[in-house]
Amino acid sequence: MPRATQTDLAVLAVLSIEPMTGYALRDAIRTHLGAFWSESFGQIYPALSRLRADGLVAAGEGDRSGSSLHSLTAAGRARLVELMREPPVSAPPRNGMLLRLFFGSVLGAAACHDLVTEARAQAVAMLEYLAAARRETESDPVGLPQRPYWLMTISAGEHSARAAIAWADETLATLGALSP
Amino acid sequence: MPRATQTDLAVLAVLSIEPMTGYALRDAIRTHLGAFWSESFGQIYPALSRLRADGLVAAGEGDRSGSSLHSLTAAGRARLVELMREPPVSAPPRNGMLLRLFFGSVLGAAACHDLVTEARAQAVAMLEYLAAARRETESDPVGLPQRPYWLMTISAGEHSARAAIAWADETLATLGALSP
DNA sequence: TCCGTCATGTAAATGGTTACATGATTCG
DNA sequence: CGAATCATGTAACCATTTACATGACGGA
């Protein structure tokens, strides 16, 4: 079995919920995993071709002409478990906002204030998005076994967003005191 | 002035503190920005060549033969301010741990427990690293204008790490109740 | 003398985004 | 009919890591 990308894992995992088209796959990733994962078409379609060639997913007829419903094969499910057991690779950190803030004396306190305000707004938006996701997950007849796990990832986002807001408030106060 | 990468910004910013070699640059990024930024030699050296060619950094003689001390030119400093003012680009999210947890029903509660335990340990380690960084920054005769900004970025890491720990504890409890 | 660290660089492979091209279907 | 959405794919480009090659210097 050749090299496996992170994308392969994500694609196999989403298909384990239910068969779908490449387009729907991207949609599902955006709406359900959007807070901690992303894939573009340019990744998804080549990945599906590869996985099809390896016999890990099967392509059946979709509703529309030319569209294909991709589903996991037995081999695909086995592969999925294998990939899931591998230790997660963490992307090297790259936070442009903190980089700028670290060199804030170059930028000036006012511009830093804007920077942190924007970061706070993003965290607030994330919190709203997560609140909606939580309502949906808690009410919808989503597959019983996966619901608790979905809520755990939502909670991770909530903790992270609340921390970001608290930090932003503290930092905006400091910044305010720095240049009155 | 041609395309500017994120790496250009980081390199120019670090050189604005003091002139140094490419090697020292990477070291400084690892020790001071390590919590939210990273660069590899394969990025740094080509970036330095480009910046030299564009007249943004000047290369002087270093201590050793063959080594060169890179310092910001006036044009480089102007460029730095320009790049700092650009809105930070945020990398698309990719959290392998949360991806696996979301599909936790495939993996099983026990393996998820390991996953979250590991994440918690990483957050604890980060907190220790940040505590050391804070002590150093607060005591050292670091350039007065930049100290408050350094502390803000340290605080960001602390908030984030504490949130990760709180989430992990909550999640481990849920996971424990899920499979007794 | 030999090892670890300081130091500079290149080449290959990878992983990913963006933009583009194309066309079917649905709904107002 | 026309616009939005569903759908599949490719090509170009970009950033980045990894591994490698090379060598100087300092100290045990």
Side-chain angles (χ1 to χ4, degrees):
Chain A
M1 198 75 18
R3 80 224 169 280
T5 64
Q6 299 267 99
T7 299
D8 287 350
L9 170 57
V11 166
L12 291 174
V14 174
L15 290 182
S16 81
I17 307 272
E18 63 173 344
M20 57 184 91
T21 67
Y23 188 90
L25 203 41
R26 198 254 198 143
D27 215 58
I29 290 174
R30 253 209 314 216
T31 59
H32 292 294
L33 316 182
F36 54 85
W37 202 266
S38 77
E39 296 288 351
S40 62
F41 286 136
Q43 286 282 102
I44 288 177
Y45 285 114
L48 281 174
S49 301
R50 249 183 298 119
L51 295 170
R52 230 181 298 145
D54 291 349
L56 302 178
V57 317
E61 282 295 296
D63 289 359
R64 294 150 166 263
S65 90
S67 83
S68 36
L69 262 194
H70 295 90
S71 49
L72 270 197
T73 64
R77 184 164 291 271
R79 183 76 175 127
L80 168 60
V81 173
E82 211 175 286
L83 290 179
M84 292 271 282
R85 285 198 201 288
E86 285 185 5
V89 303
S90 43
R94 241 138 195 256
N95 185 322
M97 188 270 294
L98 288 182
L99 179 69
R100 284 167 174 81
L101 192 60
F102 188 90
F103 297 99
S105 57
V106 171
L107 201 54
C112 289
H113 197 278
D114 293 349
L115 218 47
V116 176
T117 301
E118 173 60 23
R120 188 187 194 282
Q122 278 171 21
V124 168
M126 174 60 69
L127 218 43
E128 272 162 32
Y129 163 84
L130 289 168
R134 174 177 284 281
R135 274 194 303 274
E136 211 177 315
T137 304
E138 271 166 353
S139 68
D140 262 32
V142 84
L144 255 286
Q146 46 243 32
R147 191 189 291 153
Y149 295 103
W150 294 21
L151 291 175
M152 289 174 205
T153 64
I154 289 173
S155 178
E158 289 166 342
H159 272 91
S160 160
R162 282 193 302 257
I165 293 171
W167 169 77
D169 288 337
E170 167 200 309
T171 300
L172 287 173
T174 310
L175 239 22
L178 221 60
S179 83
Chain B
M1 199 72 23
R3 81 234 168 272
T5 64
Q6 300 265 100
T7 299
D8 287 351
L9 170 57
V11 165
L12 291 175
V14 173
L15 288 182
S16 80
I17 306 273
E18 64 174 341
M20 58 185 93
T21 68
Y23 189 88
L25 202 42
R26 196 253 199 147
D27 216 55
I29 289 173
R30 253 210 313 216
T31 59
H32 291 295
L33 317 181
F36 56 86
W37 203 263
S38 77
E39 296 289 350
S40 63
F41 286 137
Q43 286 282 102
I44 288 176
Y45 285 114
L48 281 174
S49 301
R50 246 181 301 118
L51 295 170
R52 229 181 298 144
D54 291 348
L56 302 178
V57 317
E61 281 295 296
D63 290 359
R64 294 150 165 263
S65 89
S67 83
S68 36
L69 263 193
H70 296 89
S71 50
L72 269 197
T73 64
R77 183 163 291 273
R79 183 75 175 128
L80 169 59
V81 173
E82 211 174 288
L83 291 178
M84 292 270 283
R85 284 198 201 289
E86 285 184 5
V89 302
S90 43
R94 235 130 202 262
N95 186 322
M97 189 270 293
L98 289 182
L99 179 68
R100 283 167 176 80
L101 191 60
F102 188 89
F103 297 98
S105 57
V106 172
L107 202 53
C112 288
H113 196 278
D114 294 350
L115 217 48
V116 177
T117 302
E118 172 61 23
R120 188 188 194 281
Q122 278 172 21
V124 169
M126 174 60 69
L127 218 44
E128 274 162 29
Y129 164 84
L130 290 168
R134 174 177 285 281
R135 274 193 305 274
E136 212 178 311
T137 304
E138 272 166 350
S139 68
D140 262 34
V142 83
L144 256 286
Q146 44 242 33
R147 191 189 289 152
Y149 295 102
W150 294 21
L151 291 175
M152 289 174 205
T153 65
I154 290 173
S155 177
E158 288 166 342
H159 272 90
S160 160
R162 283 194 301 258
I165 292 171
W167 169 78
D169 287 337
E170 166 200 308
T171 300
L172 287 173
T174 310
L175 239 20
L178 220 58
S179 84

